[in-house]
Amino acid sequence: MRGGPLRWVLWDVKDTLLKVRGSVGVQYSKEAEGLGLSLRPAEVNAAFRKTHRRYSSRYPNYGVSQGLTSRDWWMGVVRDTLSECQVNDPALLNAVAANVFKNFCYAENWEVFPDSKPALERCSTLGLKLGVVSNFDKRLETILRNSGLLEHFSFVLTSEEAGAPKPSPAIFHQALQRCGAPAGSVAHIGDHYVYDYLASRAVGIHGFLLDRDNSHTEGDVPEEHRVVSLDDLPSRLQENIV
């Protein structure tokens, strides 16, 4: 590994350390049911994917550069998702959206992967410092705290705070400033080929791709840069600590 001994590991969060419990459709439908609405999760999932794509294109990175907050952005996504499912009452739409935004901070809406905590603990035992670099909003620190993961990290950098999402080099440069270390002393692990693997390597960080279902076919990722479980990561990193 080029660039000197490894000192830091940066972590993606969603679909790397944890994932939405069930599905977005299940979670939205559950919130709607509490207000007397009956929705089909599969229909909600389809509407969410369509709406999320539209908002991500029109208002990238939660619309921060356009004067929105992440709460504004997510409230709009939830309202428009439910509107696609023929929910038209503005008061109900706002109530469900507000509940969804608040309740996604709670641990019961997230599932921590079984290999996450052991991998974080092993990396810390190796003397590595850990940080988060995630395309997420300001709720992430609360979510990590409620999920029992926050204590492992020296810092949490979200795309909302950074003003730039992965794969922009800007968010990685801000993370390196937080680390106080050169890119060659830093590794990054995440599940997205472009946002995590290619983007981190483009700034000189040692990127690793997490391929949980062993299905990666896009691009050329050497086997030594790919892990199918976080259980495999500490031993890969340990080879480069001197």
Side-chain angles (χ1 to χ4, degrees), residues 71-204:
R71 188 179 190 278
D72 297 331
W73 195 91
W74 278 114
M75 290 281 288
V77 168
V78 178
R79 283 194 302 259
D80 287 6
T81 295
L82 298 183
S83 293
E84 290 273 344
C85 300
Q86 312 309 312
V87 179
N88 299 310
D89 184 319
L92 274 176
L93 290 171
N94 282 327
V96 174
N99 286 346
V100 164
F101 186 80
K102 179 184 69 175
N103 290 338
F104 258 88
C105 285
Y106 300 144
E108 56 263 30
N109 286 329
W110 298 94
E111 181 179 345
V112 177
F113 290 108
D115 55 2
S116 295
K117 290 183 181 179
L120 292 168
E121 290 167 356
R122 285 180 61 199
C123 286
S124 294
T125 299
L126 292 173
L128 296 167
K129 295 181 179 180
L130 313 180
V132 164
V133 179
S134 178
N135 285 356
F136 216 101
D137 60 69
K138 62 184 179 182
R139 296 172 296 173
L140 184 57
E141 192 165 313
T142 300
I143 291 167
L144 290 170
R145 181 183 297 110
N146 291 340
S147 300
L149 298 178
L150 184 63
E151 64 183 358
H152 296 286
F153 300 108
S154 297
F155 68 85
V156 175
L157 180 61
T158 66
S159 60
E160 181 177 16
E161 178 185 356
K166 298 179 290 186
S168 169
I171 190 170
F172 286 105
H173 287 312
Q174 289 185 43
L176 290 173
Q177 289 178 345
R178 300 276 188 99
C179 294
S185 296
V186 180
H188 176 76
I189 178 72
D191 69 295
H192 198 284
Y193 172 66
V194 174
Y195 294 173
D196 293 306
Y197 179 72
L198 290 184
S200 62
R201 288 196 161 261
V203 299

Side-chain angles (χ1 to χ4, degrees), residues 158-241:
T158 66
S159 60
E160 181 177 16
E161 178 185 356
K166 298 179 290 186
S168 169
I171 190 170
F172 286 105
H173 287 312
Q174 289 185 43
L176 290 173
Q177 289 178 345
R178 300 276 188 99
C179 294
S185 296
V186 180
H188 176 76
I189 178 72
D191 69 295
H192 198 284
Y193 172 66
V194 174
Y195 294 173
D196 293 306
Y197 179 72
L198 290 184
S200 62
R201 288 196 161 261
V203 299
I205 291 171
H206 305 290
F208 289 85
L209 179 68
L210 176 62
D211 185 16
R212 287 191 178 278
D213 54 6
N214 201 21
S215 64
H216 178 76
T217 58
E218 182 181 5
D220 180 22
V221 181
E223 280 302 305
E224 61 267 25
H225 297 169
R226 188 174 71 94
V227 295
V228 296
S229 167
L230 292 179
D231 290 335
D232 301 327
L233 183 65
S235 59
R236 297 279 180 92
L237 300 175
Q238 188 171 17
E239 297 167 4
N240 299 283
I241 301 171

